[in-house]
Amino acid sequence: MELFIITLAWTFNPHYPAFILQVIWAFGISMITLSLLIHLPRKILLPVGILLVAAHNLLDNVHVTGNTLPAFLWAVLHEPNFGGLHFGPFSPIIGYPVMPWLGIITLGYCIGSLYTPDVAPEKRQQSLRNLGIGSIILFIVLRWTNFYGDHSPWSVQENWMLTIFSFVNVTKYPPSLLFILMTMGPSLLFLAYAERPLNKVTAALTVFGRVPMFFYLLHIPLIHGMAVVAAVLTGHPASDMVNLTTWVTSNEKLQGYGFSLPVVYLVWIVVIALLYPLCLRFSKYKQANQATKKWLSYFNS
């Protein structure tokens, strides 16, 4: 899916000038690896997850350059490579190194034990709340000291708003320890406080949660297609958005293209509205047929 469907959705170029390896492939490799790790005792598995998340930034100063197999393998494990690798006609773009994501998915598996039937809801919510608050506090302390956890330090800016932006401007590629703490903390708090009966709004939102892979596969080509139309309407040829050999944001032909933040939010709402009925229909189809149609198992994630 990553190589042939999602890459095509990003580029609209059937010649595949590059293969984009990011979210789906990293999670796929992580889940395959986790299928082996889960046979370890929990007292070993949990420290392994913590070690992968907390210690991988010690490798930030390790660089493997060149157009070589070791450079490719290091990009797979830890250091992204956005177009510097070429193997014959193939040019991989590696955005999501596996090492930290394997740590995150391992921690998620361990936290999943809080949802077993023998754990009382009150205890689960308390544990999630404590873990969430602890993650946020640890993020603030480490970020404030600029001691460890992200190779890009924060600094005081010309006003308080820009200073806050600098403080939370942490690294996602690969996800630094501080990025993980900053995002995982609020997510755990959300889980702690969102465990309650559904209302009409939350019940509607769960549709996307039941078909995340389906939504993911549709939203990229939809947004890219809308971007092609927007480019044409603003004076750019459609080819600037189609025959891409690099990221859209790196395409020099698209300089000056773009919209204000309110317009971006409006597009986001439109995309959600357009995909909701499709996701709802597929959710009902999957629920009715997943016992007999094996191919639907690929949409369980």
Side-chain angles (χ1 to χ4, degrees):
M1 288 182 177
E2 186 82 89
L3 288 173
F4 299 107
I5 299 177
I6 298 173
T7 291
L8 181 61
W10 278 114
T11 65
F12 279 5
N13 190 334
H15 295 288
Y16 290 97
F19 286 100
I20 301 173
L21 304 174
Q22 48 173 9
V23 180
I24 299 299
W25 97 295
F27 289 173
I29 292 176
S30 296
M31 286 189 284
I32 292 171
T33 308
L34 181 64
S35 71
L36 301 175
L37 293 178
I38 60 176
H39 298 290
L40 294 172
R42 188 61 55 89
K43 63 181 180 181
I44 297 178
L45 184 60
L46 180 58
V48 167
I50 294 174
L51 182 66
L52 288 170
V53 165
H56 80 91
N57 283 116
L58 295 172
L59 303 172
D60 285 348
N61 292 323
V62 178
H63 307 288
V64 182
T65 59
N67 189 43
T68 62
L69 180 60
F72 172 77
L73 294 176
W74 186 238
V76 169
L77 288 175
H78 191 262
E79 186 175 33
N81 193 306
F82 297 102
L85 296 168
H86 308 280
F87 300 100
F90 304 107
S91 299
I93 296 176
I94 303 173
Y96 268 51
V98 171
M99 188 183 300
W101 292 110
L102 176 59
I104 293 171
I105 204 171
T106 300
L107 291 181
Y109 176 81
C110 293
I111 292 174
S113 63
L114 293 174
Y115 287 87
T116 55
D118 59 326
V119 177
E122 296 78 10
K123 181 180 179 181
R124 173 171 55 253
Q125 292 164 15
Q126 181 181 16
S127 298
L128 292 170
R129 185 165 54 250
N130 292 342
L131 288 171
I133 294 173
S135 297
I136 294 173
I137 292 175
L138 183 57
F139 162 75
I140 294 173
V141 171
L142 289 176
R143 189 59 169 166
W144 185 268
T145 60
N146 273 333
F147 172 68
Y148 176 75
D150 199 286
H151 60 76
S152 299
W154 73 281
S155 60
V156 176
Q157 304 294 312
E158 59 189 61
N159 59 58
W160 66 270
M161 181 65 72
L162 292 179
T163 298
I164 292 176
F165 288 162
S166 176
F167 194 84
V168 299
N169 184 26
V170 289
T171 306
K172 183 183 178 182
Y173 302 96
S176 66
L177 169 61
L178 293 184
F179 176 90
I180 296 169
L181 291 173
M182 184 183 74
T183 53
M184 185 172 65
S187 298
L188 292 170
L189 289 179
F190 174 82
L191 289 176
Y193 290 105
E195 190 172 339
R196 60 187 63 189
L198 297 175
N199 55 40
K200 290 184 178 180
V201 175
T202 55
L205 292 176
T206 60
V207 169
F208 296 108
R210 289 196 292 268
V211 290
M213 177 71 83
F214 181 78
F215 174 85
Y216 186 82
L217 292 175
L218 289 184
H219 90 289
I220 296 175
L222 174 59
I223 295 174
H224 193 171
M226 294 171 67
V228 172
V229 175
V232 172
L233 293 176
T234 54
H236 294 270
S239 59
D240 288 352
M241 274 285 182
V242 176
N243 296 318
L244 302 176
T245 58
T246 183
W247 298 103
V248 173
T249 53
S250 301
N251 187 354
E252 295 181 356
K253 295 180 180 180
L254 288 170
Q255 289 184 357
Y257 170 82
F259 300 91
S260 64
L261 194 57
V263 175
V264 174
Y265 280 121
L266 177 61
V267 172
W268 168 62
I269 294 172
V270 170
V271 169
I272 294 295
L274 289 174
L275 290 182
Y276 180 80
L278 295 175
C279 289
L280 177 61
R281 185 169 181 176
F282 184 75
S283 175
K284 293 179 179 178
Y285 177 83
K286 189 178 77 168
Q287 187 175 10
N289 295 278
Q290 60 185 355
T292 57
K293 299 184 183 297
K294 292 184 178 181
W295 65 270
L296 287 172
S297 64
Y298 290 99
F299 289 87
N300 286 336
S301 58

